[in-house]
Amino acid sequence: RGTSCFAASPCLGVRRRAAAAMGRRPFKCYRYQKNKPYPKSRFNRGVPDPKIRIYDAGKKKYPVDIFPFAAHMVSVEKEQLSSEALEAARVACNKYMVKNAGKEAFHLRIRVHPWHVLRINKMLSCAGADRLQTGMRGAFGKTYGTVARVEIGQILLSVRARDVHKPQVLESLRRAKYKFPGRQRLCVSNNWGFTKLPRERYEALQAEGRLVKDGINVKVLAPKGPLDSRTLSKLPLSMLGD
């Protein structure tokens, strides 16, 4: 007589208090690569969506000759980067470039994707928890979030822009560094934009007319060899003979 519902069923009150007190773990729990890759698949279902959904920002469709300058953020540690950290770095870099260089003055690209799925074996840490959980029985955790597994020397972020905006690009990448754990280096690329051609080689091939634009990249025409149908169609009939 005169008992409340919590007095009648103490387990219910413990569960409610545990659910209210449960927060996200600090990322030091998941910073290092210790297990095999565990991607989302038909065996691994119920994975929460990654926080980052946009991997290209700015003028991503500008052709290759508009933005000759490029800089990269390179990881110096073998670790894991959460999708939340990648999204925070994208927002910080994009916001600084839009404010200080203009929204049409750059192209930002996130070079890593969070495919690896984290797990958590939730443990109660309240009074009476020993009566509600079973310890290490069934310890394979539930899906918790996604991270990108990065190696030493792997590029994390890349920005291409005009040469006059080099200070703004480096400052935006420097600000984005603070969103990641570990150490990163900022590198100025010797190549033209996001291509694989050094600047001198790019300009020489462009002067020879051997470059074909391919979006943000270029294709190099071979100086000799069989002609493709597109090249043959441009030749005058007098050169084709009989």
Side-chain angles (χ1 to χ4, degrees):
R1 188 175 63 182
T3 57
S4 65
C5 61
F6 288 107
S9 57
C11 296
L12 179 62
V14 170
R15 286 198 186 99
R16 285 180 178 173
R17 288 195 298 271
M22 181 67 70
R24 287 185 61 84
R25 284 182 177 175
F27 196 68
K28 64 182 179 181
C29 305
Y30 298 106
R31 177 176 166 184
Y32 299 107
Q33 300 180 23
K34 53 176 266 187
N35 296 321
K36 295 179 180 179
Y38 187 54
K40 181 179 178 181
S41 66
R42 69 178 190 271
F43 312 108
N44 177 19
R45 299 181 300 274
V47 178
D49 291 332
K51 192 74 172 179
I52 181 169
R53 308 298 291 179
I54 301 172
Y55 293 87
D56 283 273
K59 287 300 176 181
K60 56 187 178 183
K61 292 188 178 180
Y62 268 23
V64 63
D65 54 353
I66 301 295
F67 294 143
F69 174 78
H72 308 289
M73 182 194 298
V74 181
S75 174
V76 193
E77 293 193 21
K78 181 178 180 179
E79 58 180 353
Q80 298 182 152
L81 302 178
S82 68
S83 60
E84 290 84 2
L86 291 171
E87 173 67 7
R90 182 193 69 83
V91 170
C93 186
N94 182 68
K95 185 175 291 187
Y96 185 87
M97 287 299 298
V98 169
K99 184 176 180 181
N100 294 277
K103 63 181 181 180
E104 297 186 356
F106 71 100
H107 173 200
L108 163 66
R109 172 167 285 181
I110 309 295
R111 301 285 295 272
V112 292
H113 289 244
W115 301 123
H116 181 66
V117 179
L118 301 177
R119 297 190 300 265
I120 180 172
N121 181 26
K122 286 187 178 179
M123 306 287 284
L124 301 177
S125 59
C126 53
D130 53 339
R131 293 183 293 165
L132 302 177
Q133 61 191 15
T134 56
M136 289 302 292
R137 184 186 303 166
F140 194 87
K142 299 290 187 292
T143 56
Y144 182 62
T146 54
V147 295
R149 295 161 66 94
V150 301
E151 303 291 333
I152 296 174
Q154 185 172 353
I155 298 176
L156 306 180
L157 276 74
S158 297
V159 181
R160 65 185 182 118
R162 297 180 178 90
D163 288 321
V164 294
H165 292 132
K166 176 181 177 180
Q168 289 86 346
V169 170
L170 294 178
E171 175 62 18
S172 65
L173 290 175
R174 187 192 69 85
R175 294 186 176 211
K177 276 203 312 181
Y178 293 110
K179 309 300 179 182
F180 294 134
R183 296 168 296 159
Q184 293 81 30
R185 293 265 178 87
L186 302 185
C187 302
V188 175
S189 176
N190 293 326
N191 297 344
W192 182 285
F194 286 170
T195 68
K196 296 182 179 180
L197 299 174
R199 283 203 174 199
E200 297 79 10
R201 175 75 172 157
Y202 183 94
E203 292 169 352
L205 292 174
Q206 193 175 35
E208 296 175 13
R210 290 176 53 194
L211 294 182
V212 177
K213 294 181 183 178
D214 186 23
I216 66 169
N217 213 328
V218 288
K219 292 180 179 178
V220 181
L221 298 178
K224 57 184 179 180
L227 299 176
D228 57 0
S229 57
R230 187 161 177 260
T231 307
L232 287 172
S233 64
K234 293 181 179 181
L235 297 177
L237 294 176
S238 59
M239 293 182 63
L240 298 179
D242 298 333

